[in-house]
Amino acid sequence: MLDRATTVSVAFTLNGAPASVTAPPFQPLSETLREGLRLTGTKVGCEAGDCGACTVLVDGRQACACLIPTAQVDGAWVETIEGDGPSELTRRLKDAFLAHGAAQCGICTPGMIMASVDYLSRAPVASRAGVEDALGGVLCRCTGYQKIIDAVLAVASGAQTALDDLTTEADRPMGARIARLDGRAKVDGTDLFGADAPPPDALWVRVIRSPHAAARFTLPDLKSFEAAYPGVRVLTARDVPGLNGFGIFPTIKDQPVFADGRVRFRGEAVAAFVGPREIVEAIPLTAFPVAYQVETGFSGLTRPLHEGTTAPALFDHLPDNVLTRGNLKRGDVAAGHAAGAITVSGAFQTSFVEHAYIEPEAGHAIKVGERYEVTACTQAPYMDLEETARVLGVAPDAVRIVPTACGGGFGGKLDVSIQPILAVAAAVTGQPVRIIYSRTESMASTTKRHPATIRATASADAQGQLTAFEFEGDFNTGAYASWGPTVANRVPVHATGPYRVPHVWNRTRAILTNDTPAGAFRGFGVPQAAIAHETLMDDLAERLGLDRWAIRRLNAICAGDTTPTGQVLEASAGLPECLDALKPAWDAALARVAAHNAAHDRVKRGVGVACMWYGCGNTSMSNPSKMRLTLDR
């Protein structure tokens, strides 16, 4: 725990000008820059040196500001995104990032630019490999890095950035690039994210979370505890003025703001401390008087679909823990299998996947007149408004959600997280409040991609035409519903993939467990299903002696086809054209495979050929372009 009582004076050069601060000596430089000097262009994503969002220059070299004690920069030269950098490199890189479309959400962009300044200041000749290595400590979840690297290489080459080509003029032809409205703020580091602009007098909110996945708990009267920490208020379920529950669906509000006597997953909120930050953060968790009675939990999905679940019920009205079922049936799947020349089956299991957005949840709340204003990073402000109003027990027009720039989401910020907690804290204290989740807290308490247990079967005739497809899938929705019903009902629609199948039977279940809630994540369960149907397509091709491209092209759904739901695709279906465009590259890959096999034949004849693989990790030829053969003469 950071000692905030002891402070030191630190003097250094900041963006070319003298600067001095008084701060705890071990306070991270990132916090000193952001909280003490209000230079919020330096972003914080992990506080562990893993993401690189807080990258600054210290004496000309890139460093993670979250790892540097403030006292360590006494007498140092510090550059942040707010400066121009040596030879105006920072400014030129900002222009290049904007012109190349190298910034998407923008949370990593300041760190990327500062790391680029470090590299270009020292590299006599820039190279793509050199840029990749220099930026290796800064993570980006949006761009795929290519545009970032292109922007840095453009500056290295001395090329003029094509900012003049980015315009909003009405007379530009259709298809011309236009300037991104928030692009300049992204590259300048002035875009405001959830943690960037709290009220200066805001109280700090610290959530207390259960260390158990399944437990009952009791709380005594907390007045004596609050008396031991003057200025601190403890919030619990009894402080929620409206409904202590929220959720995605109108009839399912199963997740409490604060657990009321029972926790259903490890990391669930049971209370929150609200008060001055230096006091709130110093309270040891062992001092909080909560008594847990641990119960048997239900984690993971290890039973096949047909066996059902026998675990303790998370909710009395769902004794089998099945939240919802999905079902799609077309034709006669048994007849379809019988008509096939080949039938293949597979069992598949996927795990939780963390969204890993760089920005943890953060925001603040304040009451303005008769209206509560909650400012937060979110993907769904109107949904947040409805849930927050219900929790407060007020009309929707008594709540305003102010969405900040969102430092990545990928579906993970479609659920509410901090919004109800902030609203309750503001309502109870009558003062501005703020919260910033730690990386650990974000990962422990927010939704993930649904783990899945799948069994699928596909049949095809001798020519490779699909005749039947059957799918059974259990999706672990965790302790609360979130988007579980959407997943269970969307997967049957898409489980056959983009292929024409006359006979289909797809069934799913969303099952409640004592795991972290699972929610929205790019595809709502469909990526898990794609693992199954694409694997079976490969298996069918192998069994039938067909090319894997050919079996997909043969079965690709086309305009005019009818999907398993009965929808007729009247407008378009682009997969055939896409596969046709890929055919030359596929043929080239097959030629490399043939060369590889021929080389191994020569080995068998004693010629002495060594095969070296780069990047594949196996001999499955999943990426045949990364194969190199070396002939030993």
Side-chain angles (χ1 to χ4, degrees):
M1 189 68 67
L2 179 66
D3 177 11
R4 296 184 181 275
T6 303
T7 60
V8 296
S9 295
V10 179
F12 56 101
T13 301
L14 179 61
N15 294 326
S20 62
V21 295
T22 299
F26 291 101
Q27 177 171 286
L29 176 61
S30 54
E31 185 175 330
T32 298
L33 291 171
R34 292 176 52 80
E35 302 288 338
L37 297 170
R38 302 308 304 158
L39 295 178
T40 58
T42 298
K43 306 303 180 184
V44 175
C46 67
E47 299 178 290
D50 292 327
C51 73
C54 66
T55 298
V56 297
L57 300 186
V58 178
D59 292 333
R61 295 300 182 101
Q62 62 172 296
C64 289
C66 72
L67 297 181
I68 300 175
T70 296
Q72 189 171 313
V73 299
D74 190 50
W77 185 287
V78 178
E79 287 279 346
T80 71
I81 193 67
E82 287 85 359
D84 285 334
S87 304
E88 294 194 331
L89 257 181
T90 306
R91 180 192 60 77
R92 290 191 287 136
L93 281 162
K94 291 176 183 178
D95 289 347
F97 270 57
L98 182 60
H100 284 79
Q104 288 193 27
C105 83
I107 195 74
C108 74
T109 303
M112 286 287 184
I113 291 176
M114 299 314 296
S116 302
V117 172
D118 172 30
Y119 173 69
L120 294 182
S121 297
R122 295 184 291 106
V125 179
S127 67
R128 181 168 288 270
V131 174
E132 291 173 356
D133 184 59
L135 301 185
V138 187
L139 301 181
C140 176
R141 285 284 286 115
C142 300
T143 66
Y145 299 98
Q146 295 307 312
K147 295 296 184 181
I148 294 172
I149 297 168
D150 291 344
V152 178
L153 289 174
V155 172
S157 69
Q160 294 297 312
T161 54
L163 291 175
D164 290 342
D165 293 339
L166 304 178
T167 180
T168 57
E169 295 178 10
D171 59 351
R172 289 282 176 147
M174 182 178 294
R177 298 183 65 200
I178 62 173
R180 180 175 174 178
L181 293 177
D182 59 349
R184 178 56 67 181
K186 302 288 186 190
V187 300
D188 285 347
T190 56
D191 211 1
L192 296 178
F193 293 82
D196 288 347
D201 56 345
L203 299 176
W204 192 258
V205 179
R206 177 186 174 192
V207 180
I208 309 305
R209 301 188 179 278
S210 169
H212 308 291
R216 308 279 177 170
F217 69 92
T218 56
L219 289 169
D221 183 82
L222 295 170
K223 290 180 180 174
S224 59
F225 177 84
E226 292 174 336
Y229 300 97
V232 174
R233 175 67 188 268
V234 181
L235 303 179
T236 66
R238 69 192 71 168
D239 294 299
V240 178
L243 177 68
N244 185 25
F246 59 88
I248 298 300
F249 290 86
T251 58
I252 306 177
K253 305 301 175 187
D254 58 349
Q255 185 165 354
V257 181
F258 298 110
D260 192 3
R262 181 180 182 182
V263 292
R264 294 180 173 87
F265 73 96
R266 186 172 183 267
E268 184 164 3
V270 299
F273 301 156
V274 185
R277 182 175 183 179
E278 62 275 10
I279 300 177
V280 165
E281 289 192 338
I283 300 174
L285 288 179
T286 54
F288 186 58
V290 56
Y292 292 100
Q293 298 84 45
V294 179
E295 298 181 334
T296 301
F298 173 30
S299 178
L301 299 178
T302 58
R303 301 173 180 84
L305 182 70
H306 64 271
E307 290 185 8
T309 58
T310 58
L314 274 75
F315 295 92
D316 292 341
H317 67 286
L318 296 171
D320 60 357
N321 287 321
V322 177
L323 174 67
T324 190
R325 290 175 169 82
N327 184 71
L328 188 154
K329 194 170 186 180
R330 180 192 183 198
D332 185 338
V333 73
H337 287 313
I342 292 293
T343 297
V344 295
S345 296
F348 310 88
Q349 196 152 9
T350 69
S351 63
F352 280 107
V353 179
E354 163 66 26
H355 297 80
Y357 32 76
I358 304 299
E359 178 200 24
E361 291 74 9
H364 61 269
I366 186 172
K367 191 173 184 182
V368 179
E370 296 302 313
R371 186 167 67 176
Y372 294 92
E373 293 191 357
V374 180
T375 299
C377 55
T378 177
Q379 292 180 264
Y382 288 99
M383 294 172 66
D384 296 349
L385 188 152
E386 294 175 358
E387 300 307 306
T388 302
R390 187 180 295 104
V391 164
L392 290 176
V394 300
D397 59 5
V399 174
R400 181 188 179 206
I401 302 294
V402 182
T404 65
C406 188
F410 321 111
K413 291 174 182 173
L414 281 172
D415 286 84
V416 299
S417 55
I418 59 174
Q419 297 87 335
I421 296 173
L422 285 170
V424 171
V428 170
T429 65
Q431 295 181 251
V433 294
R434 66 180 299 206
I435 195 170
I436 303 174
Y437 278 3
S438 68
R439 173 58 56 186
T440 300
E441 187 174 19
S442 174
M443 293 182 70
S445 64
T446 61
T447 58
K448 312 288 175 254
R449 188 188 292 282
H450 285 73
T453 299
I454 294 168
R455 183 164 184 82
T457 301
S459 296
D461 63 21
Q463 289 71 46
Q465 186 72 56
L466 292 170
T467 59
F469 185 87
E470 195 169 358
F471 180 101
E472 296 176 291
D474 275 355
F475 290 81
N476 180 353
T477 200
Y480 298 106
S482 181
W483 290 88
T486 300
V487 169
N489 285 283
R490 182 170 293 186
V491 168
V493 174
H494 298 280
T496 54
Y499 304 115
R500 187 187 310 106
V501 191
H503 303 285
V504 176
W505 191 13
N506 298 332
R507 295 92 87 189
T508 57
R509 301 190 307 181
I511 296 181
L512 292 161
T513 70
N514 290 109
D515 293 320
T516 307
F521 194 154
R522 285 183 169 175
F524 294 90
V526 177
Q528 295 93 305
I531 294 172
H533 67 65
E534 291 301 326
T535 300
L536 295 188
M537 291 295 282
D538 286 347
D539 290 348
L540 286 170
E542 182 177 2
R543 292 282 301 277
L544 291 166
L546 297 175
D547 177 88
R548 286 181 288 170
W549 177 92
I551 196 170
R552 286 169 169 82
R553 183 62 179 85
L554 175 66
N555 290 284
I557 200 164
C558 302
D561 285 339
T562 301
T563 71
T565 64
Q567 178 187 5
V568 178
L569 300 177
E570 297 178 350
S572 65
L575 182 60
E577 291 80 3
C578 179
L579 289 171
D580 290 343
L582 290 171
K583 186 62 162 60
W586 178 257
D587 288 341
L590 290 182
R592 287 192 291 273
V593 172
H596 165 71
N597 292 337
H600 276 280
D601 289 341
R602 294 176 65 190
V603 170
K604 294 177 182 178
R605 295 195 301 269
V607 176
V609 180
C611 178
M612 300 177 65
W613 293 89
Y614 289 83
C616 291
N618 56 46
T619 57
S620 66
M621 290 310 299
S622 59
N623 193 345
S625 66
K626 293 186 177 180
M627 180 184 71
R628 187 174 73 186
L629 297 179
T630 301
L631 300 181
D632 296 328
R633 299 290 181 184

